[in-house]
Amino acid sequence: QVQLVESGGGLVQAGDSLRLSCAASGRTSYTMGWFRQAPGKEREFVATITWNDRTTYYADSVKGRFTISRENAKNTVHLQMNRLKPEDTAVYYCASTARMWSSRVSEYDYWGQGTQVTVSS
């Protein structure tokens, strides 16, 4: 069993930065991912980082602006979001999977409750 708790969301202006964090408890040696869901849209992949070698993968829409990282000793994953745009507005979810890596919502086993990010223009 894994419990995930996100934090760090908020209301910012376009061009600003935010750093999301996800604290994990239970079995934590999993690949971790960030997803987001905007109103009326499906949940979509943002970024993922593997447990062992910290290999990262990003959605094209955030590549170059967002950075995912993890602190295994603290069981924490971060998502640094720079140059935010109004289209980044969504609820951001942290999730874990036993797979080596995945960008598919259906392949993640555990989810946090989400944290709201709102970017005003």
Side-chain angles (χ1 to χ4, degrees):
Q1 194 73 13
V2 177
Q3 294 79 43
L4 304 171
V5 179
E6 303 95 335
S7 61
L11 171 63
V12 297
Q13 294 186 333
D16 286 351
S17 298
L18 269 179
R19 189 191 196 206
L20 305 183
S21 296
C22 173
S25 60
R27 179 177 175 179
T28 56
S29 56
Y30 286 153
T31 288
M32 300 295 293
W34 285 97
F35 292 77
R36 66 186 182 186
Q37 188 166 18
K41 294 187 177 181
E42 294 186 351
R43 193 168 298 187
E44 66 175 7
F45 169 74
V46 174
T48 188
I49 184 168
T50 60
W51 165 257
N52 50 357
D53 61 1
R54 295 181 173 82
T55 301
T56 57
Y57 302 91
Y58 297 92
D60 288 342
S61 59
V62 306
K63 201 172 294 183
R65 299 189 297 123
F66 290 11
T67 302
I68 188 171
S69 62
R70 67 189 301 164
E71 299 179 75
N72 288 347
K74 296 182 179 180
N75 296 330
T76 302
V77 177
H78 304 288
L79 185 68
Q80 177 66 43
M81 305 185 294
N82 298 329
R83 304 198 307 276
L84 282 161
K85 304 175 181 179
E87 50 263 44
D88 294 319
T89 295
V91 177
Y92 282 71
Y93 297 90
C94 174
S96 66
T97 177
R99 295 175 181 269
M100 182 64 68
W101 85 277
S102 175
S103 63
R104 297 182 177 183
V105 171
S106 61
E107 293 181 348
Y108 280 74
D109 306 301
Y110 299 99
W111 293 83
Q113 81 289 349
T115 185
Q116 177 71 46
V117 172
T118 303
V119 185
S120 63
S121 57

